[in-house]
């Protein structure tokens, strides 16, 4: 489960103004991320590390079973990862194709609402992201032939990301996907979505429950949870950096 760039400890990103001075000399820092770094310290911390917002409610006892800071990238790594996910003339982010069955999937050198197809997106020359349909009553009829076969047979698949609604927690359909990843011995990560819809107390409750589940019931799941919000963008930069790291794009 190890990935390049995993470190213990945290807080280096908030050693201001030294970080800003270093990144100002880092020519490839995107303008958007440079603006992010200029946010007030508390707002910046919440945006980049949303779990640290709820961590303070654990004090003074702490929780040794919580793995909040296993992946602790440097500010430079976060900036580089942000550039990878920023479309430019030299770094194109292209929709490649969709596949309704595994035999329709494009032959790519690297793997990559409501989705009924596997949608392939090439991120520059770095990696390909595959957006897959989820389990549940809306899943396409050929889900087993399409998704399970892809996950089981794609040898260059770097990581699988399971999206779990942070408001409702792990549901029956999520358990099916988790059992599939465990059965296929796939390295996977749980991403908690919609954290903007949860209060801090409710989010903490869900994090504790899901972390306990991961610790006790899984073997292939990365121990650190990644909470994100598509509305506030909280956690997105850290997740991007993790993706760039596990695909070797920061080497």
């Amino acid at each position: 489960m190890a990935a390049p760039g995993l470190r213990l400890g945290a807080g280096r990103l908030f050693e201001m103004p030294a970080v800003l001075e270093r990144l100002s000399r880092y020519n490839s820092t995107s303008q958007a991320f440079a603006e992010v770094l200029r946010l007030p310290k508390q707002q910046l911390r919440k945006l980049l590390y949303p779990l640290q917002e709820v961590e303070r409610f654990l004090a003074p006892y702490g929780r040794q079973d919580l793995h909040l800071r296993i992946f602790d990238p440097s500010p430079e790594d976060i900036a580089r990862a942000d550039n990878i996910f920023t479309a430019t003339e030299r770094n194109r982010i292209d929709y490649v194709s969709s596949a309704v069955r595994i035999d329709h999937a494009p032959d790519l050198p690297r793997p990559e609402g409501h989705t009924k197809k596997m949608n392939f997106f090439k991120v520059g020359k770095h990696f390909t992201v595959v957006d897959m349909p989820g389990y549940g009553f809306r899943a396409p009829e050929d889900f087993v032939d399409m998704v399970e076969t892809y996950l089981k047979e794609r040898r260059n698949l770097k990581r699988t990301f399971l999206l779990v609604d942070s408001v409702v927690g792990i549901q029956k359909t999520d358990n099916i996907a988790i059992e599939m990843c465990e059965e296929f011995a796939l390295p996977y990560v749980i991403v908690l979505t919609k954290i903007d819809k949860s209060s801090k107390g409710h989010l903490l409750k869900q994090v504790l429950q899901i972390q306990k589940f991961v610790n006790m019931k899984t073997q292939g799941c990365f121990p650190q949870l990644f909470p994100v919000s598509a509305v506030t963008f909280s956690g997105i930069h850290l997740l991007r950096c993790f993706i760039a790291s596990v695909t070797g794009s920061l080497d």
Side-chain angles (χ1 to χ4, degrees):
M1 291 189 300
L6 300 190
R7 306 176 178 89
L8 295 177
R12 293 188 308 278
L13 189 59
F14 306 104
E15 296 170 357
M16 305 295 188
V19 167
L20 287 175
E21 183 179 353
R22 289 202 308 273
L23 289 179
S24 67
R25 299 193 300 265
Y26 190 61
N27 295 331
S28 59
T29 301
S30 69
Q31 181 177 354
F33 189 68
E35 293 297 324
V36 168
L37 289 172
R38 294 187 179 95
L39 292 173
K41 181 177 179 179
Q42 185 175 359
Q43 189 176 352
L44 178 62
R45 185 187 300 274
K46 182 178 181 179
L47 182 68
L48 296 179
Y49 297 101
L51 277 185
Q52 291 190 17
E53 281 289 294
V54 300
E55 183 184 17
R56 63 188 180 89
F57 292 102
L58 300 174
Y61 309 104
R63 289 292 295 265
Q64 296 300 317
D65 57 341
L66 278 178
H67 307 288
L68 302 181
R69 303 177 181 179
I70 292 178
F71 181 67
D72 182 30
S74 69
E76 290 82 3
D77 283 345
I78 294 178
R80 290 166 59 201
D82 197 76
N83 291 334
I84 290 172
F85 282 91
T86 300
T88 64
E89 290 185 4
R90 294 186 177 183
N91 185 62
R92 294 178 59 86
I93 299 178
D94 294 322
Y95 166 76
V96 180
S97 66
S98 294
V100 294
R101 297 184 64 86
I102 188 61
D103 54 357
H104 296 163
D107 184 17
L108 296 172
R110 289 190 179 186
E112 358 328 354
H114 170 43
T115 304
K116 289 190 175 182
K117 298 180 179 180
M118 294 190 296
N119 295 313
F120 295 75
F121 301 87
K122 294 198 69 173
V123 182
K125 297 180 180 179
H126 304 284
F127 49 84
T128 300
V129 175
V130 184
D131 180 24
M132 292 186 165
Y135 274 94
F137 71 95
R138 286 186 173 182
E141 294 181 0
D142 56 357
F143 183 93
V144 173
D145 290 338
M146 181 172 62
V147 174
E148 291 192 7
T149 302
Y150 181 91
L151 293 176
K152 188 175 183 179
E153 297 182 359
R154 199 70 172 191
R155 300 305 177 190
N156 53 356
L157 183 64
K158 296 297 183 181
R159 198 70 49 125
T160 300
F161 295 84
L162 301 181
L163 307 186
V164 174
D165 190 325
S166 66
V167 178
V168 298
I170 294 178
Q171 302 296 293
K172 181 178 179 180
T173 51
D174 299 315
N175 271 310
I176 295 174
I178 290 171
E179 290 172 3
M180 177 189 66
C181 289
E182 292 287 334
E183 179 184 352
F184 295 165
L186 297 173
Y188 62 101
V189 179
I190 291 180
V191 178
L192 302 180
T193 65
K194 304 178 183 177
I195 63 172
D196 55 285
K197 297 183 179 297
S198 294
S199 66
K200 292 179 181 178
H202 182 75
L203 179 59
L204 176 59
K205 179 181 178 181
Q206 293 289 7
V207 167
L208 292 174
Q209 290 178 346
I210 297 173
Q211 183 76 76
K212 181 179 180 180
F213 175 90
V214 170
N215 293 346
M216 299 182 64
K217 302 293 185 179
T218 71
Q219 295 292 325
C221 185
F222 190 73
Q224 180 175 335
L225 306 176
F226 287 83
V228 299
S229 167
V231 175
T232 66
F233 225 62
S234 292
I236 298 295
H237 294 287
L238 185 65
L239 180 60
R240 283 178 171 181
C241 192
F242 182 80
I243 295 173
S245 178
V246 297
T247 56
S249 302
L250 298 181
D251 295 344

